[in-house]
Amino acid sequence: MKQLKNMFFISALTFLGFSCGKQQEAVPLDKHSIIPIPVSVVPAAGSFTLDGKTAIVLQADPAQVQLIGEYLKSSISTLTGLNLNIAQEDRDNAIVLALDATASDEEEGYRLAIMDKKILVSAPQPAGLFYGIQTLKQLIPAHGGKIPGVNNQFSLPQGSIEDHPEYGYRGMMLDVARHFFSVEDVKKLIDQIAVYKINHLHLHLSDDQGWRIEIKSWPLLTTIGGANEVGGGKGGYYTQDDYTEIVRYAQSRFITIVPEIDMPGHTNSALNAYGILNPGITVPEATAVPVDRKALGVEEEDPDATPYHTGIEVGFSTLDTDSPVTYKFIDDVIREISELTPGPYFHIGGDESHVTAMEDYIPFIEKAQEIVTKYGKKTLGWDEVAHAKLLPTTVAQYWAKAENAIMAIEQGSKVLISPAVKAYLDMQYDSTTHLGLHWAAYIELDEAYNWDPTELEAEIRREHILGVEAPLWTETITTMSDIEYMTFPRLAAIAEIAWSPKTARNWEDFSRRIAWHGQRWEAQGKNFYRSPKVEW
Ligand code: TNX
């Protein structure tokens, strides 16, 4: 194989050497490395030449597509160094972005036609154009100066692609509670996951170790509850303006933010701030650290408030499900966050409430669900919420127990598929991985790829499934580089499960395609796990 590679290298050099002045040969469209793999790819002979004179032509109301055109322009500039003009009139040597109701029957679908003198990206909705652009970017043979075009020309193979997603919800979750991540980090992640046509980012905004979003009616949540993290660091939080900035940025990448406030368990950070919410829980002694309220500028002592939890043990905290103050509290929190959130979902957590009696847990979840509805949102909750009576609009996120997911389905709810054994990005790749946990499984790249949401349980069928989400819990994750290492390449595998038809997916082919993505990530300076299952 190595010999073969060397031969290829030599012949490529020879080719470049002897064809000085000519552009590189385009890899035929059916030998592409597109992830997620499209529904249909039809190659044709010949190529399109992208160069400095190529224009981006907008064939649609600029109010709807101007930003998408600019995104394409800046993407091409980063990949190739070319600075393209954006124009309104049709012409040759153009990439045309067209809103066209006939381009696809599917809401997020698109068509990409690469012809001799034109590339046409068409879609019924702006989202489809954005996805068409993601596909197009993966056909440009340059990674940001590392594979320069000859004479600044880049060849793209002719042919056409028709594509649309299998599932409407394609998500990733980032836990910003165990460790806090800046707005800049979250934006960077949004850019990275948008490439793989992920369209939801679930933010786990509160947990035992930290409260990460400003709530104006309960200000100590962030002043006190935000000032801790796993290991006892200083934590951090998003102001409401920060959160809005994340929501807007995500929108520009066609990503919906799903906010989560975990309740009634996983709530120690709220109990650090307000003793009145504390039913008398015990923080694990080994990792409990007293809160120095004065040092945080809070004069009044609160003897009922809890110490910080700096460890990673779960299941010891709960809100007081009998107290009216609890419901005033969650009403305020759900209201303030819902007002800042254009997306349809509010995630109430509901997992691992081990110290909440089931007879208290059930009415609590039902009340929380009513409050979410009152503020115009649909409830998402971890699979345990299926013990309560769910509204038909409520979605249960299957992470641990199939029986819970099935209970939700029997109640008429849909399920979001995130099995820890397949889709958890915090699970180690193997026993040598220096980050992450392995309580559910070791998940190598092929394990993350080789499964299907419809094949987990006979009772969980296609029509019950809203989509797929890959959560990244951050007990052991502290930097952007750590996030990248655990997320890539596995998120690309999950994204293909969520977007591509089952019949088009195949591990051998995926492992070939992902190698090309590794080159691009390397050129971008992005960290990733070089799985031994792939010839990078
Ligand atoms: C289980 S997944 C949890 C989280 C942890 C995660 C670590 C879920 C709903 N609960 O609290 O962070 O395991 O893998």
Side-chain angles (χ1 to χ4, degrees), residues 175 178 204 207 260 262 266 314 351-352 382 384 399 420 424 426-427 437 439 471 473-475:
D175 171 8
R178 270 53 177 272
H204 183 75
D207 212 302
E260 178 188 352
D262 206 343
H266 290 274
V314 297
D351 57 313
E352 299 173 319
W382 298 106
E384 290 95 319
W399 69 281
Y424 267 29
D426 65 317
M427 290 300 118
L437 306 172
W439 64 263
W473 301 98
T474 59
E475 287 91 336

Side-chain angles (χ1 to χ4, degrees), residues 67-68 70-72 74-75 108 126-127 130-131 134 137 170 186-200 246-256:
L67 290 177
I68 302 178
E70 280 163 21
Y71 174 81
L72 176 61
S74 94
S75 301
E108 296 178 290
F130 187 75
Y131 299 133
Q134 295 308 338
K137 279 164 59 186
R170 305 174 301 279
V186 175
K187 284 183 173 174
K188 197 168 172 191
L189 183 65
I190 285 170
D191 276 331
Q192 293 175 350
I193 67 179
V195 168
Y196 297 101
K197 304 184 174 92
I198 294 291
N199 66 353
H200 288 77
I246 291 172
V247 165
R248 293 230 179 92
Y249 194 78
Q251 270 177 331
S252 77
R253 303 294 184 257
F254 294 86
I255 289 177
T256 301

Side-chain angles (χ1 to χ4, degrees), residues 183 218 276 486:
V183 173
W218 297 75
I276 195 170
M486 297 308 276

